[in-house]
């Protein structure tokens, strides 16, 4: 079959199935316009991969597909705005959110450095960032599944675990937003007078644990083989940073609201547990992998509530989690939400082992072409993709061959030929 999409960014996509019995290869093409498509289709017909032409290798096995949902740090003003515009049905999610959250997500244009800084600060506020990440993760999940990409399991990083449980059907959207709000408030309240601090360390975890123990902080995140994050009381983290630097290791304080995933915020688990006790939680429809245990959540809703409440103060064992998912057969990791932080971490964890890591959103890139490229990458990896939803609202399908360029170009100043020459009297 073939598929395409047009949008504000001028993106177009086309996918083709088996071209002949002799070449059972799938090709996905992403083009900027019809002229670009014509050139790329010539390469596609000979199964020649290149920029915008994604060829599925014969026998490619996508393994199990996991959706990964990002946590705090991936938020930014305007995140996924292009997709909310191109796919209006996603805006129903925004209607469920508090006005202050959506206002921070999609502020008016900023014309000064001060305005830009204020907008970043507004969306970084924990009370905004967590529900905002839930909304954008939910939007990415709804969009991907409407295009035929369905997860065999889900996982998240820190806060993203809430979105992963929502995506697996453990609770509804209203519950996701309530839990997001309560979780954020509980963490900030638990921090108290000294909200604590966090520091990123470029080193193997074994080299960091002893220093953390000695100085009175914890390894809150093990994100990649040589990336850890320390968390704890501010004096303890500062002492750990000094010691690690003296050992020749890279260590830097990072700007955070408080010492997440440490004893500093342990009291937040009780408040979140109380909120979860009254929430409608059911067994997940697909496995949801836990940051805390490195294993999937159980089917028992009571166990889900208890583990999710614990997770707020427990270390994020992301490396162990991804390794366990790989051992369980996951070979395709889709970052469902803003940014590509988790995609990069997966690449560093798995290295040269066969896998596919796909980001649906890349800061600085137009949103619609990036989505189409993600779909093409997934199709080339062997993941089922159904582009039919991209045609909704279109009046015609893409032609077999691109038509000739228009004979005339009218730009409000001159009429020109297709070659750019002004037409006599065409002013």
């Amino acid at each position: 079959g073939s598929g395409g999409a047009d949008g504000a960014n001028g993106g177009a996509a086309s996918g083709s199935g088996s071209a002949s019995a002799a070449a059972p290869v799938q090709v996905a093409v992403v083009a900027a316009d019809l002229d670009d498509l014509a050139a790329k289709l010539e390469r596609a017909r000979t199964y020649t991969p290149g920029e915008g032409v994604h060829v599925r290798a014969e026998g490619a096995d996508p393994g199990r597909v996991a959706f990964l949902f990002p946590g705090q740090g991936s938020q930014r003003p305007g995140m996924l705005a292009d997709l909310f515009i191109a796919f209006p049905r996603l805006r129903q999610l925004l209607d469920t959110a508090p006005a202050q959250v959506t206002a921070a997500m999609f502020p008016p244009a900023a014309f000064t450095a001060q305005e830009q800084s204020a907008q970043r600060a507004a969306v970084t506020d924990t009370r905004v960032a967590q529900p905002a990440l839930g909304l954008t993760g939910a939007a990415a999940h709804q969009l991907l599944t409407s295009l035929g990409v369905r997860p065999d399991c889900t996982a998240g990083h820190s806060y993203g675990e809430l979105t992963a449980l929502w995506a697996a059907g453990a609770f509804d959207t209203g519950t996701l937003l309530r839990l997001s709000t309560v979780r954020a408030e509980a963490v900030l309240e638990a921090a108290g007078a000294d909200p604590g601090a966090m520091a990123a360390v470029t080193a193997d975890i074994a080299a960091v644990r002893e220093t953390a123990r000695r100085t009175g902080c914890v390894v809150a995140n093990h994100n990649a083989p040589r990336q850890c994050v320390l968390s704890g009381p501010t004096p303890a983290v500062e002492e750990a940073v000094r010691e690690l630097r003296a050992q020749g290791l890279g260590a830097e304080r990072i700007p955070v609201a408080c010492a997440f995933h440490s004893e500093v915020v342990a009291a937040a688990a009780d408040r979140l547990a109380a909120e979860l006790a009254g929430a409608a939680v059911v067994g997940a429809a697909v496995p949801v992998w836990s940051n805390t245990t490195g294993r999937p959540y159980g089917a028992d809703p009571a166990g889900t509530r208890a583990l999710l409440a614990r997770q707020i103060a427990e270390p994020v064992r992301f490396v162990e989690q991804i390794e366990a998912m790989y051992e369980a057969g996951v070979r395709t990791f889709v970052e469902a939400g803003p940014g590509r932080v988790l995609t990069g971490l997966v690449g560093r964890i798995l290295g040269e082992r066969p896998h596919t890591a796909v980001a649906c959103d890349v800061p600085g890139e137009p949103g619609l072409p990036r989505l189409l490229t993600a779909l093409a990458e997934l199709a080339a990896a062997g993941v089922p993709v159904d582009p039919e939803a991209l045609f909704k609202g279109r009046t015609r399908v893409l032609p077999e061959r691109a038509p000739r360029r228009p004979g005339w170009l009218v730009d409000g100043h001159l009429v020109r030929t297709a070659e750019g020459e002004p037409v006599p009297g065409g002013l």
Side-chain angles (χ1 to χ4, degrees), residues 65 67 141 144-151 334 375 378 383-386:
V65 178
F67 280 11
H141 177 271
L144 288 166
T145 54
S146 74
L147 293 165
V149 183
R150 300 186 180 278
V334 184
L375 294 175
L378 291 169
V383 176
V385 173
D386 179 6

Side-chain angles (χ1 to χ4, degrees), residues 59 104 260:
F260 295 105

Side-chain angles (χ1 to χ4, degrees), residues 32 39 83 87 100 120 137 200 205 217 265 282 325 358 368 377 383 389:
L83 300 184
F87 301 94
Q100 66 268 27
R120 286 194 298 270
I205 190 170
C217 49
V265 297
V282 300
M325 293 171 73
V358 174
L368 188 54
E377 291 171 348
V383 176

Side-chain angles (χ1 to χ4, degrees), residues 278-321:
V281 178
V282 300
V286 298
V288 181
W289 289 78
S290 163
N291 288 168
T292 304
T293 65
R295 300 190 301 273
Y297 277 74
D300 176 29
T304 296
R305 290 185 178 95
L307 182 54
L308 184 56
R310 274 178 56 203
Q311 188 252 19
I312 201 168
E314 296 281 347
V316 174
R317 297 158 58 185
F318 195 67
V319 172
E320 294 176 49
Q321 178 180 330

